[in-house]
Every structure is written in C-alpha cells, then in structure tokens.
C-alpha cells in the first residue's frame, strides 16, 4: 500500500508542467556534468601547484565560453555571485577609463528595470532618474534624449529583455544616443542571453550583466562583462584578494563557474533551434488563450519579444488566485518577477506601460523553455479553460464551461 502511494506521488510530480523559466531554468545536463567534475577537484585557483592550476584552467575555459556567448573578450569577464551582484557592481559612479576619472554623477534607468537595477547600486536616490516606457513596454527613446540633455555623462541602465513581458528593448539605438551625450550604457542581459543573439559590440553596450541560472547553469553565478579593458572599477563591492583582476575578491566558485561555461556552450550551440521551438509553442499558447478568452490581453504583444515569454491578464481574474489554481492543476507559472511573487506586489513594469490597476493585478507570466512540449501547452490551455471559467466574473459562456 505504502509503496503504491509513494509511486503515485512520484508520478504526479513528474507530470508537472514547469512554465516559469524566467524565474529560473533547470540545469542543463552539460552543466550538471561540468559541476560534478569540478566539485571533484580540490585546488584553489590562486595556488601555483598542479591542483591550483587545474582549478584555474576550468575558470579560464569558462571565461572563454561565457565571453563567446556575447562576442566579448574573455579577459573582460568578471565572475560574480549572480545577476544581482553584477548589477550592483556595475551601478557605481566610480567607473574610470584611462582618460576619464571623474565620477559619474547621475544614473538614468528605464522605468521597467529589474529590482536589482532599480535599487540603484551605489548611486544616491537623489541622483537617479527614471526614463518612461511606452504602452508596448519599450523604453521611450525621446524621453531618454531629453533626460540626457539635462544630465550629461550619466551611467544609463537599459535591460535587453524585460523579465515580465519579454519585450526586447531598442538597446543599439539607445546606445547611440547615450554615447553622443558622453554617457555609459549598462545592459542587463540576464533574460536575453542564451535566448536571443547578444553581441556586446553590435548592441553598443559598455557593460553587460548576465546570470547562469537563466540559461541552464547553476544559481549563484553570474558575470559583469565590460566591452573593453579600458573600464576600471575604482570601488569594487568586495575587496580583499586580487581575484578577478581585483574587481571581485574572494576564492572563485570554481564548480559554479565551470558549469556556467558548459551551459553557455550548450545555449550558444542550440540557440536558434531552441528559440524556434519556444516561439512555435508560445504562438500556439497565445492563439489558444485568445480562442478560450477573446478578451484576454497579452502585454507587449505588439513589440518584439523573447520567444518564450507571455504575460497576460483577463479582467476579473486575479493573478494570485489563478497561479494557485494552475499550481493545483500541476502547472507552475508566475505573477511576474519571482522576487516580488509571494509578496504579490503590483508590477512596476505594467504600471509604467499605463495598464489599468485592475487589469494589472491579473497579470500571469508564462515562460517556456527548451524542454517544453506541445502536450504541455495543451495541458496549460485545458487548465486555463477551467481556471478562467471558474474565476472570471466575465461572460456566461466561461462560467458555463467551468460548470
Ligand atoms: N536581471 C534580470 C532582468 C532578472 O530577471 C534577474 C533575475 O530574475 C536578475 C537581474 C538577477 O539575477 P540573479 O537571480 O542571478 O541575481
């Protein structure tokens, strides 16, 4: 009896559909293998003996692999404990170049940045200005140009892909405007890298930040990638040993970094195929949502988006209730940013897009990954039919379906 119960529980777990890849992606098999191999090594990468050199080799190989994902120079990659730390490290007035050592006095950021950027790093609150976004979820470039006219030489932060809507930002256009005003551009590419092509030079980013766990590496590893060796961080967040060329002290997370490298190689090799796969499923999912709920709103649908993300709402359906109902149906989705779910705060991204407060409270984020299948999407749509019918105060037809 007991055995059977356990088995049933186990099979119920394996049948779950995980559609929350923007919160975190499962570890890729290649990353798991690299992690396990690296954990078997005992050396400290700063040691000069053979054990130390073996650990160092893993880090330097990963540096090349991660750099290749964004066409950056390996020597410029600074490994950190994740995207949040990478953003914190970059958000400082003290970014020097050989001919420019004056601190940057202003930080401009789009109104849709991740909370790790919104916190402002080491800029005082009074030095930070938000740049509006349009109704499609894109940063407003005219507003950026206006703000630059008032604040010369700022650091500007614009993400490449928004974590809630998936909307891709006009980063290359923004870079041209920022550089013309003597500013520096930080691009949080955490959600974009591994899902869409990211070339640091083509984007015109001065600094890019990435995180391993969004592309199939482990949690707790990321990187800050300056576009050139000319950038010097005069006040690193963590000081001590000279690791990461003095920019980030502390014995390196060798296994995490090695696994990050392996995930980067796999993500790069499979990028086009995975993107096409996710886009086909995402289109199926959105067509299905619209067929079931003609009044459903898909946020940012008119803009270019990541191939895996759908953020939607239906008037009358509350996100927190929908997410619990989906969970009971065996489907993991989210109400937006993972950091704020649980607290269920209204999304600052949707607020910046001018979405009404009632609709905004219903926003459900579905984010797919490379293992998603058509059957998963069909299960999601079956669940939505039930969930929306039961929860919507909308049409009688929907209530009828639920009954
Ligand atoms: N930036 C964006 C756009 C994100 O979506 C996230 C994580 O959700 C982060 C930064 C933070 O990355 P990490 O979880 O590695 O600290």
């Amino acid at each position: 009896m007991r055995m059977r119960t356990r088995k049933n529980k186990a099979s119920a777990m394996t049948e779950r559909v995980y559609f929350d890849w923007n919160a975190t992606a499962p570890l890729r098999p290649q990353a798991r293998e690299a992690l396990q191999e690296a954990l078997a090594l005992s050396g400290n990468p700063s040691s000069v003996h053979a054990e130390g050199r073996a650990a160092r080799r893993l880090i330097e190989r990963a540096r090349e692999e991660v750099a290749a994902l964004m066409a950056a120079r390996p020597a410029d990659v600074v490994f950190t404990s994740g995207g949040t730390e990478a953003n914190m490290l970059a958000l400082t007035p003290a970014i020097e170049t050989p001919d420019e050592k004056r601190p940057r006095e202003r930080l401009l950021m789009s109104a849709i940045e991740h909370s790790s950027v919104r916190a402002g790093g080491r800029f005082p609150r009074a030095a930070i200005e938000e740049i509006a976004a349009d109704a499609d979820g894109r940063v407003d470039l005219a507003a950026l140009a206006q703000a630059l006219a008032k604040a010369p030489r700022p650091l500007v932060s614009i993400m490449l892909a928004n974590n809630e809507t998936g909307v891709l930002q006009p980063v290359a256009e923004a870079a041209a405007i920022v550089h013309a005003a003597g500013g520096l551009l930080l691009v949080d590419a955490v959600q974009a890298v591994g899902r869409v092509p990211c070339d640091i030079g083509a984007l015109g980013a001065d600094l890019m930040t990435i995180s391993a766990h969004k592309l199939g590496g482990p949690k707790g590893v990321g990187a800050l990638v300056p576009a050139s060796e000319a950038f010097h961080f005069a006040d690193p967040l963590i000081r001590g040993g000279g690791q990461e060329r003095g920019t980030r002290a502390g014995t390196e997370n060798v296994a995490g970094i090695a696994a990050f490298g392996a995930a980067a190689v796999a993500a790069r090799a499979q990028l086009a195929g995975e993107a096409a796969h996710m886009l086909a499923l995402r289109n199926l999912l959105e067509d299905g949502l619209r067929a079931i709920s003609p009044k459903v709103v898909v946020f940012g649908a008119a803009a270019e988006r990541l191939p895996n993300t759908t953020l939607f709402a239906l008037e009358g359906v509350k996100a927190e209730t929908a997410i619990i109902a989906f969970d009971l149906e065996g489907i993991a989705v989210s109400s937006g940013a993972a950091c704020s779910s649980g607290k269920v705060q209204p999304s600052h991204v949707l607020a910046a897009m001018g979405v009404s407060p009632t609709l905004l409270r219903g926003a459900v984020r579905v984010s797919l990954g490379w293992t998603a299948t058509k059957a998963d999407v069909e299960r999601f749509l079956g669940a939505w039919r039930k969930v929306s019918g039961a929860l919507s105060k909308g049409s009688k037809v929907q209530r009828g379906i639920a009954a």
Side-chain angles (χ1 to χ4, degrees):
M1 262 316 258
R2 221 181 244 170
M3 285 293 287
R4 185 180 283 170
T5 313
R6 259 199 227 134
K7 202 174 161 205
N8 287 349
K9 263 190 195 159
S11 61
M13 284 309 287
T14 53
E15 281 164 20
R16 282 188 63 85
V17 172
Y18 183 73
F19 275 178
D20 199 13
W21 292 60
N22 286 12
T24 194
L27 206 57
R28 289 184 190 260
Q30 299 88 336
R32 187 183 302 274
E33 206 175 299
L35 191 65
Q36 279 163 347
E37 275 173 22
L39 284 171
L41 292 188
S42 54
N44 182 322
S46 296
S47 301
V48 291
H49 46 60
E51 288 82 352
R53 291 198 310 275
R56 169 64 49 204
R57 271 196 298 279
L58 289 190
I59 293 181
E60 297 316 317
R61 189 172 71 196
R63 212 183 291 286
E64 285 174 16
E65 293 165 341
V66 167
L69 197 52
M70 60 201 76
R73 285 180 358 131
D76 295 329
V77 174
V78 179
F79 287 116
T80 64
S81 69
T84 300
E85 187 195 325
N87 282 332
M88 270 299 291
L89 179 59
L91 291 166
T92 171
I95 305 172
E96 299 179 347
T97 61
D99 10 278
E100 185 54 281
K101 305 225 180 302
R102 277 181 303 152
R104 309 239 158 212
E105 282 169 12
R106 304 281 296 168
L107 171 63
L108 308 184
M109 64 170 77
S110 85
I112 57 165
E113 293 300 297
H114 184 261
S115 53
S116 57
V117 170
R118 281 168 75 74
R122 282 162 290 163
F123 282 86
R125 272 277 137 223
I128 304 173
E129 189 180 337
E130 266 189 17
I131 310 299
D134 65 19
D136 293 324
R138 270 183 305 233
V139 64
D140 180 340
L141 293 179
L144 173 64
Q146 267 174 17
L148 283 165
K150 288 183 282 150
R153 293 183 65 254
L155 177 61
V156 180
S157 195
I158 298 177
M159 66 200 329
L160 188 47
N162 183 264
N163 45 302
E164 296 186 30
T165 58
V167 170
L168 295 168
Q169 301 301 310
V171 164
E173 293 92 318
I177 302 172
V178 170
H179 292 152
L184 287 183
L185 182 63
L186 163 64
V187 175
D188 173 344
V190 166
Q191 292 289 348
V193 161
R195 294 190 182 135
V196 290
C198 295
D199 178 318
I200 193 167
L203 287 168
D206 296 298
L207 308 160
M208 238 157 94
T209 51
I210 55 172
S211 175
H213 73 102
K214 309 288 183 180
L215 55 95
K219 296 163 190 65
V221 197
L224 165 63
V225 187
S228 137
E229 64 202 315
F231 296 115
H232 170 65
F233 290 81
D235 61 343
L237 272 179
I238 305 178
R239 296 158 198 258
Q243 291 92 348
E244 299 299 284
R245 294 189 324 285
T247 304
R248 204 282 184 176
T251 301
E252 299 88 337
N253 173 3
V254 180
I257 290 170
F260 187 6
V265 171
R268 187 163 165 242
Q270 288 153 38
L271 194 142
E274 288 178 356
H277 173 72
M278 292 189 289
L279 185 62
L281 291 180
R282 206 265 308 268
N283 289 342
L284 194 69
L285 187 143
E286 291 187 357
D287 289 349
L289 274 178
R290 291 189 179 103
I292 296 166
S293 310
K295 290 193 175 151
V296 78
V297 177
V298 175
F299 300 107
E304 209 186 329
R305 283 178 291 158
L306 288 175
N308 77 319
T309 309
T310 297
L311 184 69
F312 72 94
L314 182 65
E315 198 79 58
V317 176
K318 276 201 187 134
E320 55 262 48
T321 328
I323 286 156
I324 294 167
F326 271 122
D327 197 33
L328 292 173
E329 293 290 324
I331 298 168
V333 292
S334 143
S335 65
C339 323
S340 56
S341 56
K343 287 189 247 156
V344 190
Q345 286 171 337
S347 153
H348 68 277
V349 175
L350 293 179
M353 289 165 68
V355 175
S356 78
T358 48
L359 194 59
L360 180 149
R361 291 194 175 272
V364 173
R365 182 184 69 186
V366 182
S367 48
L368 315 178
W370 51 88
T371 60
T373 63
K374 197 171 166 213
D376 292 341
V377 172
E378 279 159 4
R379 249 189 84 195
F380 170 85
L381 291 172
W384 173 248
R385 199 181 290 278
K386 268 166 89 176
V387 168
S388 60
L391 299 180
S392 170
K393 295 189 196 92
S395 73
K396 281 183 188 149
V397 180
Q398 281 174 342
R399 278 204 290 271
I401 289 167

